[in-house]
Amino acid sequence: MPIKSEAATKRIYLDYNATTPLDPTVAEIIVTNLTEAWGNPSSLYPEGVKAKNVIATAREQTAKGIGAVASDILFTSGGTEANNWVISSTIEHFKQRSQAESKLKPHIISTTIEHDAISLPLSHFREKGEIDVTFVPVNKERGFVTPEDVVNAIRPNTCLVTVIMANNETGAIMPIAEISKLVKERNSSVLIHTDAAQAIGKIPVDVGLLGVDYLTIVGHKIYGPRIGALYIKGLLQNGGAPLYKIFHGGGQERNLRPGTENTAPIAGLGKAVEIASDSVKEFAAAMKMTRDHLEKRLKDDFQDAVVFNCASSCRLPNTCSVAFIGKNREGYNLVKKICGFSCSTGSACHANECKPSQILLEFNIPFEIAANTLRLSTGRETTVADIDKVVDELKHLLLP
């Protein structure tokens, strides 16, 4: 029977890498602008001008939060759109740039540990015969994708390198700045993108220091609304990163993303990025404290029956990827028994067959460990008391 305690009646949330609740300040800004900035931002009368100014403020906040300028920020429906937009734009740019010069397909370099919003569109274009793709694996000894392996994959027809900034399942942080530096030294025309969905608000993010041409921002990972933004270096400037329309309509967002702007969520996103960047050190310290307490408690109580994945790698301060060793401890089955808290699993089981996360396997985690993995990700408000209740329930479920 599940443990009967306060943890069973008041659920503790430990899946902040999946999504986050709205910050109260962000929620207030969204609600306020739903009623006060409802005008069409393309209109010249006061109601429209007010909405336009709200969007301009949010663009400034978003840009400042990642060390960019406002003119290089476009708002999107979310991270999936932003990632697909980068991929389709760089493919189109290669085709236009190399017309009659080369019969080679555009070549894109990515990794085996990307989010589906990168890996699936790349696989789609490859299956259609439109591009060649190299998926660089994680270096087994170092626990992350190495810059040298990325650079060694460059071909004469390489147009884009896209590498996730921090993996959502293990928290492993990729060396984006080093990758950018070496790639540009090898071939300065290769464009570089990183999906920073998991990084913002947990570690410092500065596009200048990272050396990227594109960067994806996702609101619901940083206590904001479920929209996103895309940074494009030098947008519409000579020598800037290219961006092409993916659909057509009005002239909104620099005539690149048509459609009347979603003013209130955009205002919320700007504030969420501002809060996340201004307080990143404070948030990171708080999340790391509770994450470290979680891992200490688990190690003390489970001893050799617990394994931490990628713990030796540079990783996000809030992420614990942990496996409980033994039979009938598959993550998928364990999650179904948990009553007092929410988390993610590293496996999916159907018809008595357990299939671990492919991402975990790509991190060279053994099959049986990956199958028994849970991902526990702490948040800004997670407390030591929360962690103690979580560990107590796990002990009740797993220890005799």
Side-chain angles (χ1 to χ4, degrees), residues 289-350:
M289 184 270 292
T290 50
R291 192 274 311 276
D292 289 352
H293 179 67
L294 169 65
E295 293 185 349
K296 184 179 186 304
R297 278 289 318 268
L298 290 173
K299 186 62 179 176
D300 289 345
D301 291 347
F302 286 88
Q303 299 293 317
D304 294 337
V306 70
V307 173
F308 299 104
N309 301 318
C310 301
S312 61
S313 301
C314 181
R315 58 180 169 139
L316 295 173
N318 77 319
T319 306
C320 169
S321 178
V322 60
F324 298 92
I325 308 305
K327 293 182 178 180
N328 301 317
R329 290 182 171 184
E330 295 86 0
Y332 182 81
N333 289 320
L334 182 55
V335 164
K336 292 191 293 184
K337 299 175 184 177
I338 291 171
C339 294
F341 65 95
S342 301
C343 66
S344 289
T345 176
S347 64
C349 296
H350 303 283

Side-chain angles (χ1 to χ4, degrees), residues 67-120:
V69 295
S71 57
D72 289 347
I73 299 293
L74 295 180
F75 295 109
T76 68
S77 63
T80 296
E81 179 189 331
N83 290 344
N84 277 259
W85 200 356
V86 170
I87 291 168
S88 62
S89 289
T90 52
I91 292 172
E92 181 62 26
H93 182 65
F94 178 89
K95 291 178 179 178
Q96 293 196 15
R97 187 183 61 184
S98 62
Q99 282 181 355
E101 295 179 7
S102 172
K103 294 183 179 180
L104 292 173
K105 299 175 185 178
H107 173 243
I108 296 177
I109 300 170
S110 191
T111 79
T112 59
I113 56 168
E114 298 297 312
H115 189 278
D116 283 349
I118 288 290
S119 61
L120 292 184

Side-chain angles (χ1 to χ4, degrees), residues 59-73:
R59 203 182 308 275
E60 289 280 357
Q61 291 171 317
T62 303
K64 183 180 178 182
I66 60 168
V69 295
S71 57
D72 289 347
I73 299 293

Side-chain angles (χ1 to χ4, degrees), residues 47 63 67 69 78 80 111 142 165 188 230 250 264 283 303 333:
E47 295 87 348
V69 295
T80 296
T111 79
R142 300 173 72 179
M165 191 168 180
S188 61
L230 178 63
F283 292 150
Q303 299 293 317
N333 289 320

